[in-house]
């Protein structure tokens, strides 16, 4: 039935239906009283009193009917008017006046929609549903039917609600943005972008979803025409195509888009995997996911502007990747490959393929890019339009591709390098920096390269040469510096030398010979190749730990020299010295040798030692009885001299002359002999020390003086400060209980004390002959003391022999065979001795002619031997000390007033020598017949 209600009651009834969410009754009421209940009034009532928690599906149809004015047939529906029936019209009017209906218009509402009540209602209703109920996900249902009603509805739906809804409810619900719909819409563009992307790529597992966030969050958010229009209008040109062509990334024009690009470059610097994933998964501003709620509305000029900005940011991201790993560099390469495709350039091969083929890139890079001033663009103003390195051009892409491949090669070969570092090497063209990088690279190869893979080394050589010119070397064989490449300022021969060293250090001798010696197109000159071989051999020597020539580093050193038979001339001084060094070092391997406590001897110690001959002293100290191998040690000294290790050669004096080397050999020999003498004395082996003094020092001094001119003899004597000291020490040595006994006596005295004193005196005589004049007094003093001791010993021995003779003559021998009782010698046992010493010659002849017993015959034989030996002594006196070189009298004269008694001492020495010879012979004869008289055996013999 028809309702007859006053306007106030109709309004109050509509409010009641809205409060109760009775949409059907409200629809029926609006349909029947459309003239009184206008659309704007009903929309205000719905906005004010319709519960925000009411599902949008329940009332969106009502809003559509209000908009179109086409209500369904609801006239037959009964309307419950009980809530206003009891009210009088004044009461209803009074209640109506108390209503506070919300206006449809609001601050920041679109001016073009001031008269569009439906648009205003939908905008305000959306804000209220989100603010009051937090039902953001209800808004698409509310707004979808009206997307074509107003562009503002679509903008709100696509640019604000869709990104926020996806961000908080679908993509990252665990960490929603703490802003309402209205608050988010009013955020500055930069803040909004940061909030939308705050969780993008945070977790490693989400890297595959980075592109989804950019497409589904940033893509829709960018398509807010009002935001772009405001930027253009500020510059006075709403259309803006000319502006876009001039200012591609001007700060402030499009802060939201610029913030997206800055976010991308920031991720490259901090978490480069996110940046790589973003570029790989997102094709830029044209690659958006609007959920089917809109289409791209940008003009071609605007779209091109955004895409070029994206390409610039992507190239900048590749420069900013800070990690020098194969994975990071491959990621940078994938960025370049993706941008090359977006720019419609020729597609780049995959990175492994590019590293295999090493494409020639130098011709694609313009000279404008290869300028040292551009190096700053790799650190600053990466997104600026003036940055030529990040400008999306074919030349900049080729340059970035080249430095990424260069960094990848350096990293793969053992010298980690970032993209920026490779770019600085190529742009700054600092020869010192490039040389340091190349040296580090090849050194790493030498330490870590495979020992058996020739293919690896062939490929590596090609890669290093490609780094010099990025393929330009293929068409230019000039050894001079080039304009492109991370090693562009290095000469080709420098790289070839370093490569050769790496080959040799990794024992690739056959390959090295095939490239540098057998190849028709020899990369290195003959002299440079030979010098490199020697230098590498010395490096192997210095790194050796075992002095044995057949093992380790010394074997490698030897093998390197032998690997180039046509190049290495063994007659050169360098080759001979190196061979001598190897021989000397190998000789040391036969001994135990420790120069520093806890550190075993290594070959380099010999080469750098300031006094390598002194190492022989260490050998003698640490190896008992090693002094007996004196000839081996002397040969070792000769090798040290031949190897050029002597002190004066290291000090920079003239070297290489035969005279100098001969002098050094004599010095080393004398010094080593002196060391052996000292070592023998230390081990109480006086006999060996004495032998070295009289057989080596004396003869060496005589030979040296004979070969050198008189003018040079004093110089040589002064230079040899070792021999005379060793002879002096031997002359001062005194026998002890530990002294080793001689193995044979020869023709020397059987008395060990006398024999020892005689040997000491002979050692001192040798010291006198070879010592410099200022030292003679010390030696003469020792000489006098030794003679005094010898005189005392000889005197004591003579007294002992006289006593023995007297005791022997007093023995009664009546029962001896052949004896005669009537003989006067038999009746007076001591008479024969007395007659022999004191009787006149007539008496002696009478005694000799008398019949003798066998014992008397032996004594007569002894007397005859004494006569003969006296003659022999006179012959020996005629030889005298003068036959040995310098006489004692001459030495005494050179010593000054302290040597005045020299001739007397010489006469005493000659007498002693005669007595020694006589006594030796007599001892032999007596011992032969001693059994006849039961004489004791001669211990001295």
């Amino acid at each position: 039935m028809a309702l007859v209600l006053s306007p106030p009651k109709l309004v109050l009834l509509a409010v009641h239906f809205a409060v109760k969410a009775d949409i059907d009754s409200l629809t029926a009421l609006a349909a029947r009283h459309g003239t009184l209940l206008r659309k704007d009034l009903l929309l205000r009532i719905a906005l004010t009193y319709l519960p925000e928690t009411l599902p949008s599906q329940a009332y969106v149809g009502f809003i559509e009917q209000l908009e179109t004015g086409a209500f369904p047939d609801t006239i037959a529906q009964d309307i419950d008017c009980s809530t206003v029936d009891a009210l009088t019209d004044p009461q209803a009017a009074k209640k109506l006046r108390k209503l506070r209906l919300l206006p449809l218009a609001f601050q920041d509402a679109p001016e073009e929609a001031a008269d569009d009540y439906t648009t205003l209602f939908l905008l305000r209703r959306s804000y209220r549903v989100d603010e009051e109920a937090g039902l953001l996900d209800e808004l698409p249902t509310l707004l979808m039917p009206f997307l074509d009603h107003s562009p503002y509805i679509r903008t709100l739906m696509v640019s604000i609600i869709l990104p926020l809804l996806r961000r908080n409810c679908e993509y990252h619900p665990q960490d929603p943005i703490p802003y309402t719909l209205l608050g988010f819409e009013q955020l500055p563009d930069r803040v909004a972008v940061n909030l939308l992307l705050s969780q993008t790529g945070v977790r490693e597992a989400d890297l595959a979803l980075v592109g989804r966030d950019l497409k589904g969050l940033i893509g829709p958010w960018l398509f807010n025409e009002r935001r772009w229009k405001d930027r253009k209008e500020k510059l006075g040109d709403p259309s803006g195509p000319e502006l876009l062509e001039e200012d591609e990334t001007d700060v402030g024009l499009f802060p939201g888009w610029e913030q997206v690009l800055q976010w991308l470059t920031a991720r490259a610097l901090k978490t480069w995997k996110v940046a790589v994933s973003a570029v790989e998964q997102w094709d830029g501003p044209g690659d958006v996911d609007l959920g089917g709620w809109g289409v791209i509305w940008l003009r071609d000029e605007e779209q091109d502007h955004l895409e070029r900005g994206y390409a610039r940011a992507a190239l900048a991201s590749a420069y900013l990747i800070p990690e020098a790993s194969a994975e990071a560099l491959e990621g940078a390469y994938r960025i370049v490959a993706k941008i090359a495709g977006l720019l419609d350039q020729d597609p780049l091969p995959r990175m492994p393929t590019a590293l295999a083929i090493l494409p020639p890139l130098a011709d694609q890079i313009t000279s404008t890019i290869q300028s040292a001033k551009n190096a700053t663009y790799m650190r600053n103003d990466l997104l600026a339009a003036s940055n030529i390195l990040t400008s999306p051009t074919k030349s900049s892409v080729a340059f970035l591709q080249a430095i990424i491949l260069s960094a990848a090669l350096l990293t793969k070969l053992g010298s980690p390098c970032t993209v920026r570092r490779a770019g600085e090497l190529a742009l700054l063209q600092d020869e010192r920096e490039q040389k340091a990088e190349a040296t580090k690279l090849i050194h790493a190869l030498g330490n870590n390269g495979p020992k058996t893979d020739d293919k690896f080394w062939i490929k590596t050589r090609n890669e290093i040469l490609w780094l010099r010119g990025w393929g330009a070397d293929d068409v230019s064989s000039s050894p001079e510096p080039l304009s492109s490449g991370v090693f562009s300022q290095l000469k080709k021969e420098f790289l070839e030398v370093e490569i050769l060293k790496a080959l040799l250090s990794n024992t690739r001798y056959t390959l090295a010979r095939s490239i540098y010696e057998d190849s028709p197109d020899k990369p290195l000159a003959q002299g440079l190749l030979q010098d490199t071989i020697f230098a590498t051999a010395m490096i192997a020597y210095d790194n050796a730990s075992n002095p044995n020539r057949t093992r380790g580093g010394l074997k490698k050193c030897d093998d390197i020299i032998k690997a180039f038979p046509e190049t290495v001339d063994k007659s050169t001084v360098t080759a001979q010295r190196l061979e001598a060094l190897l021989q000397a070092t190998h000789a040391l391997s036969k001994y135990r040798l420790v120069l520093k406590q806890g550190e075993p001897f290594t070959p380099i110690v010999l080469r750098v030692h300031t006094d390598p001959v002194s190492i022989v002293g260490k050998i003698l100290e640490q190896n008992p009885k090693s002094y007996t191998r004196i000839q081996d040690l002397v040969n070792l000294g000769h090798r040290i001299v031949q190897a050029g290790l002597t002190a004066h050669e290291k000090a920079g004096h003239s070297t290489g002359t035969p005279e100098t080397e001969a002098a050094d050999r004599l010095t080393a020999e004398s010094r080593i002999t002196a060391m052996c003498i000292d070592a023998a004395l230390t081990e109480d082996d006086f006999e060996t020390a004495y032998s070295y003094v009289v057989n080596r020092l004396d003869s060496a001094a005589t030979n040296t003086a004979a070969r050198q001119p008189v003018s040079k003899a004093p110089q040589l004597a002064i230079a040899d400060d070792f021999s005379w000291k060793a002879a002096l020490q031997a002359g001062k040595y005194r026998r002890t209980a530990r002294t080793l006994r001689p193995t044979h006596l020869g023709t020397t005295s059987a008395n060990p004390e006398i024999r020892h004193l005689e040997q000491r005196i002979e050692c001192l005589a040798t010291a006198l002959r070879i010592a410099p004049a200022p030292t003679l007094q010390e030696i003469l003093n020792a000489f006098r003391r030794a003679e005094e001791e010898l005189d005392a010993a000889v005197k004591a021995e003579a007294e002992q022999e006289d006593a023995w003779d007297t005791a022997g003559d007093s023995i009664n021998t009546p029962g001896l065979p052949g004896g005669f009782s009537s003989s006067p010698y038999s009746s007076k046992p001591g008479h024969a001795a007395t007659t022999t010493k004191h009787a006149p010659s007539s008496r002696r002849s009478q005694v000799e002619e008398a019949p003798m017993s066998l014992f008397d015959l032996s004594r007569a034989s002894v007397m005859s031997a004494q006569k003969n030996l006296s003659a022999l002594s006179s012959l020996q006196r005629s030889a005298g000390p003068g036959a040995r070189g310098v006489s004692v009298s001459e030495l005494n004269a050179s010593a000054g007033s302290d040597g005045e008694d020299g001739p007397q001492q010489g006469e005493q020495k000659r007498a002693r020598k005669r007595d020694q010879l006589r006594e030796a012979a007599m001892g032999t004869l007596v011992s032969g017949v001693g059994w006849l008289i039961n004489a004791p055996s001669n211990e001295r013999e």
Side-chain angles (χ1 to χ4, degrees):
M1 74 184 202
L3 295 176
V4 181
L5 297 174
S6 63
K9 288 184 178 183
L10 286 175
V11 174
L12 291 176
L13 186 58
V15 170
H16 172 72
F17 290 151
V19 171
K20 295 299 182 180
D22 188 353
I23 303 302
D24 292 339
S25 298
L26 184 59
T27 302
L29 189 63
R32 295 180 183 181
H33 302 280
T35 304
L36 183 60
L37 296 176
R38 304 182 310 275
K39 180 173 68 171
D40 61 325
L41 178 59
L42 288 172
L43 290 175
R44 290 182 65 189
I45 292 172
L47 179 63
T48 306
Y49 294 105
L50 200 64
E52 285 78 5
T53 57
L54 183 66
S56 300
Q57 188 64 36
Y59 64 92
V60 68
F62 171 69
I63 303 303
E64 288 182 285
Q65 292 167 7
L66 284 179
E67 175 61 27
T68 61
F71 293 95
D73 187 9
T74 57
I75 299 176
Q77 179 179 345
D78 292 335
I79 299 176
D80 184 6
C81 301
S82 59
T83 55
V84 295
D85 285 345
L87 295 176
T88 63
D89 290 341
Q91 289 176 335
K94 184 177 180 180
K95 284 183 173 289
L96 181 61
R97 286 192 297 270
K98 292 182 179 181
L99 293 177
R100 295 293 183 265
L101 297 178
L102 295 175
L104 296 176
F106 59 94
Q107 188 179 4
D108 297 330
E111 296 181 0
E112 296 84 351
D115 297 331
D116 187 350
Y117 301 129
T118 301
T119 298
L120 294 176
F121 167 79
L122 291 172
L123 294 177
R124 289 214 64 181
R125 179 65 181 178
S126 299
Y127 299 144
R128 287 181 63 81
V129 169
D130 179 62
E131 289 178 4
E132 301 297 334
L135 298 175
L136 185 64
D137 54 346
E138 285 293 328
L139 299 184
T141 303
L142 173 64
L143 300 179
M144 281 292 293
F146 303 97
L147 290 179
D148 296 330
H149 174 76
S150 170
Y152 301 104
I153 300 297
R154 184 179 296 277
T155 298
L156 176 67
M157 182 65 184
V158 174
S159 179
I160 306 300
I161 296 177
L162 181 59
L164 186 60
L165 182 64
R166 284 174 170 172
R167 172 64 174 76
N168 287 355
C169 302
E170 183 180 351
Y171 292 174
H172 305 288
Q174 74 281 358
D175 187 19
I177 294 176
Y179 285 92
T180 64
L181 180 62
L182 180 61
F184 178 73
E185 185 181 15
Q186 294 176 345
L187 285 175
D189 292 351
R190 296 180 183 276
V191 178
V193 169
N194 289 335
L195 287 173
L196 288 173
L197 298 176
S198 61
Q199 293 299 309
T200 300
V202 172
R203 291 174 293 275
E204 187 82 13
D206 294 341
L207 289 177
L209 303 176
V210 173
R212 177 205 65 179
D213 287 7
L214 292 169
K215 296 175 185 178
L217 300 180
I218 297 302
W221 183 86
L222 289 173
F223 287 91
N224 188 331
E225 187 174 7
R226 184 180 63 180
R227 184 178 297 120
W228 293 82
K229 184 178 179 180
D230 290 345
R231 302 303 185 273
K232 300 172 190 176
E233 289 178 347
K234 287 181 180 178
L235 296 174
D237 184 5
S239 62
E242 295 80 11
L243 170 67
L244 292 173
E245 292 177 2
E246 292 180 5
D247 303 290
E248 294 187 352
T249 57
D250 284 2
V251 176
L253 283 180
F254 312 107
W257 175 241
E258 181 189 352
Q259 187 61 31
V260 174
L261 303 183
Q262 290 181 355
W263 174 88
L264 181 61
T265 55
R267 296 287 74 74
L269 191 60
K270 296 179 181 179
T271 53
W272 60 267
K273 291 183 180 180
V274 176
V276 173
S277 299
V279 176
E280 284 191 301
Q281 300 171 24
W282 189 37
D283 292 343
D287 184 13
V288 297
D289 180 10
L290 303 181
W293 299 347
V295 294
I296 297 176
W297 46 263
L298 292 175
R299 296 188 298 272
D300 291 342
E301 297 84 354
E302 298 170 335
Q303 184 72 19
D304 181 66
H305 161 69
L306 296 181
E307 289 177 350
R308 290 178 64 84
Y310 175 65
R312 183 183 296 277
L315 296 177
S317 300
Y319 280 105
L320 290 173
I321 293 178
E323 189 173 317
S325 65
E327 185 182 9
L329 294 171
E330 186 174 2
Y333 187 86
R334 294 202 302 268
I335 289 177
V336 178
K338 178 64 177 290
I339 297 305
L342 293 179
L343 296 176
D344 294 328
Q345 298 180 7
D346 295 335
L348 302 185
R350 295 177 63 251
M351 186 170 177
T353 304
L355 291 176
I357 63 176
L358 298 176
L361 299 174
D363 295 340
Q364 302 179 34
I365 304 171
T366 62
S367 59
T368 308
I369 285 184
Q370 298 183 94
S371 174
K373 66 180 182 180
N374 293 332
T376 185
Y377 284 135
M378 290 187 292
R379 296 179 179 272
N380 306 311
D381 302 327
L382 286 164
L383 298 178
S386 58
N387 192 329
I388 192 173
L389 298 182
T390 57
S391 177
T393 63
K394 184 176 181 179
S395 180
S396 63
V397 169
F399 176 77
L400 183 54
Q401 179 190 7
I403 63 175
I404 291 175
L405 291 177
S406 299
L409 287 175
L410 292 173
T411 301
K412 183 190 72 169
L413 297 177
S415 179
C417 181
T418 63
V419 177
R420 180 186 296 174
R421 170 64 174 163
E424 289 175 344
L425 287 172
L427 291 178
L428 295 178
Q429 298 185 352
D430 188 325
E431 181 181 359
R432 184 175 61 180
E433 288 291 324
Q434 292 184 1
K435 181 173 291 187
E437 189 68 31
T439 303
K440 182 176 72 171
L441 167 68
I442 301 177
H443 179 74
L445 278 173
N447 292 336
N448 306 318
K451 306 295 183 182
T452 58
D453 189 357
D454 282 352
K455 292 182 179 179
F456 168 84
W457 290 104
I458 294 173
K459 180 181 178 182
T460 298
R461 176 174 177 265
N462 293 334
E463 290 171 345
I464 293 175
L465 295 179
W466 182 86
L467 290 173
R468 180 174 177 259
W470 289 339
D473 234 0
D474 296 341
V475 296
S476 175
S477 58
S478 173
E480 297 304 317
L482 305 175
S483 59
S484 302
V486 295
F487 295 156
S488 59
Q489 298 305 298
L490 303 181
K491 293 185 177 180
K492 186 178 179 181
E493 66 180 17
F494 170 80
L495 294 177
E496 293 284 10
V497 165
E498 296 301 316
I499 294 170
L500 173 59
K501 291 179 180 179
L503 289 174
L504 296 179
S505 65
N506 283 270
T507 67
R508 310 317 306 143
Y509 308 129
T510 303
L511 176 61
R513 183 171 61 250
S514 66
I515 295 175
Y516 296 98
E517 186 176 76
D518 299 339
S519 174
D521 185 17
K522 299 183 183 299
L524 295 176
Q526 180 81 3
L528 181 58
L529 176 59
Q530 183 171 265
D531 293 342
T532 304
I533 294 170
F534 285 133
T536 310
M538 291 308 303
I539 292 174
Y541 177 91
D542 291 344
N543 292 331
S545 58
N546 190 332
N548 193 314
R549 184 174 184 172
T550 62
R551 298 178 182 177
L554 260 65
K555 183 178 185 301
K556 180 184 288 188
C557 176
D558 197 18
D559 291 344
I560 289 173
I561 298 299
K562 294 177 180 178
F564 297 87
E566 298 181 5
T567 302
V568 177
D569 185 0
K570 294 186 178 181
S571 64
T572 61
V573 175
T574 304
Q576 292 176 354
R577 286 191 172 186
L578 185 54
E579 177 62 24
L581 178 62
L582 291 174
Q583 293 178 2
T585 309
H586 182 73
L588 293 175
S589 66
K590 303 175 183 178
Y591 304 97
R592 178 185 178 275
L593 182 59
V594 177
L595 299 185
K596 292 184 179 179
Q597 188 173 3
E599 296 182 11
F601 172 80
T602 55
I604 192 175
V605 174
L606 173 65
R607 195 172 74 83
V608 303
H609 203 286
T610 56
D611 185 12
V613 178
S614 66
I615 295 178
V616 176
K618 295 291 184 180
I619 294 175
L620 295 170
E621 291 176 8
Q622 300 172 22
N623 298 267
K625 299 295 182 181
S626 57
Y627 60 85
T628 60
R629 305 173 63 177
I630 186 171
Q631 190 56 49
D632 291 344
L633 297 177
V634 169
N635 291 338
L636 171 61
H638 292 167
R639 298 293 178 268
I640 290 175
V641 172
Q642 187 179 359
L645 303 181
T646 52
H648 79 274
E649 291 196 5
K650 292 183 179 180
H653 294 84
S654 60
T655 60
T657 61
E659 294 81 4
T660 302
E661 184 173 336
D664 289 343
R665 288 168 62 93
L666 290 174
T667 301
E669 181 175 351
S670 300
R671 186 178 176 187
I672 292 173
T673 302
M675 290 179 184
C676 291
I677 293 171
D678 290 339
L681 295 176
T682 302
E683 298 187 33
D684 293 303
D685 189 354
F686 175 78
E687 293 293 331
T688 300
Y690 164 76
S691 173
Y692 291 165
V693 170
V694 298
N695 294 321
R696 288 184 174 271
L697 292 186
D698 201 2
S699 60
T702 303
N703 294 337
T704 301
R707 287 199 302 266
Q708 295 293 338
V710 177
S711 60
K712 293 185 178 181
Q715 298 178 2
L716 292 175
I718 294 175
D720 183 6
D721 199 34
F722 314 103
S723 299
W724 72 269
K725 288 183 179 180
L728 176 60
Q729 292 302 318
K732 289 182 177 181
Y733 180 83
R734 295 182 180 276
R735 293 177 65 252
T736 65
R738 296 187 302 273
T739 303
L740 299 179
R741 294 185 178 184
T743 57
H744 64 283
L745 295 177
T747 60
T748 59
S749 173
N751 188 321
E753 186 64 28
I754 293 177
R755 181 179 188 277
H756 178 67
L757 288 170
E758 290 173 348
Q759 290 173 327
R760 285 178 54 194
I761 289 175
E762 193 163 358
C763 291
L764 292 172
T766 300
L768 285 170
R769 282 191 294 274
I770 63 179
T775 64
L776 292 180
Q777 185 59 52
E778 178 185 1
I779 303 174
L780 285 174
N781 292 338
F783 197 96
R784 289 194 192 99
R785 288 192 295 270
E787 281 198 326
E788 291 171 358
E789 294 178 12
L790 180 59
D791 288 341
V794 170
K795 184 177 181 182
E797 184 184 35
E799 292 176 353
Q800 183 179 4
E801 289 180 352
D802 289 343
W804 183 83
D805 290 343
T806 302
D809 292 343
S810 64
I811 296 175
N812 188 9
T813 58
L816 289 178
F820 300 91
S821 59
S822 61
S823 173
Y825 301 101
S826 301
S827 60
K828 298 180 180 179
H831 180 72
T834 305
T835 304
T836 303
K837 293 180 181 286
H838 305 290
S841 59
S842 60
R843 175 61 180 161
R844 185 179 302 166
S845 61
Q846 293 176 4
V847 173
E848 291 175 355
E849 295 172 358
M852 294 183 293
S853 64
L854 182 60
F855 175 75
D856 294 331
L857 178 62
S858 298
R859 294 186 61 188
S861 299
V862 170
M863 294 174 60
S864 177
Q866 287 178 337
K867 294 178 182 180
N868 295 332
L869 288 175
S870 299
L872 178 61
S873 298
S874 64
L875 292 175
Q876 290 177 340
R877 282 198 303 271
S878 66
R884 299 180 58 87
V886 183
S887 66
V888 177
S889 60
E890 293 171 342
L891 293 171
N892 287 332
S894 65
S897 59
D898 292 333
E900 292 178 358
D901 56 347
Q904 183 178 357
Q905 292 182 352
E907 184 63 23
Q908 292 175 355
K909 181 176 180 181
R910 286 192 293 271
R912 284 196 302 275
K913 194 70 175 178
R914 178 195 59 209
D915 294 339
Q916 292 166 11
L917 293 172
R918 182 192 308 120
E919 290 166 0
M922 288 175 62
T924 301
L925 292 174
V926 171
S927 63
V929 295
W931 62 273
L932 297 175
I933 58 174
N934 294 322
S937 62
N938 193 338
E939 293 295 331
R940 292 178 298 174
E941 190 173 14

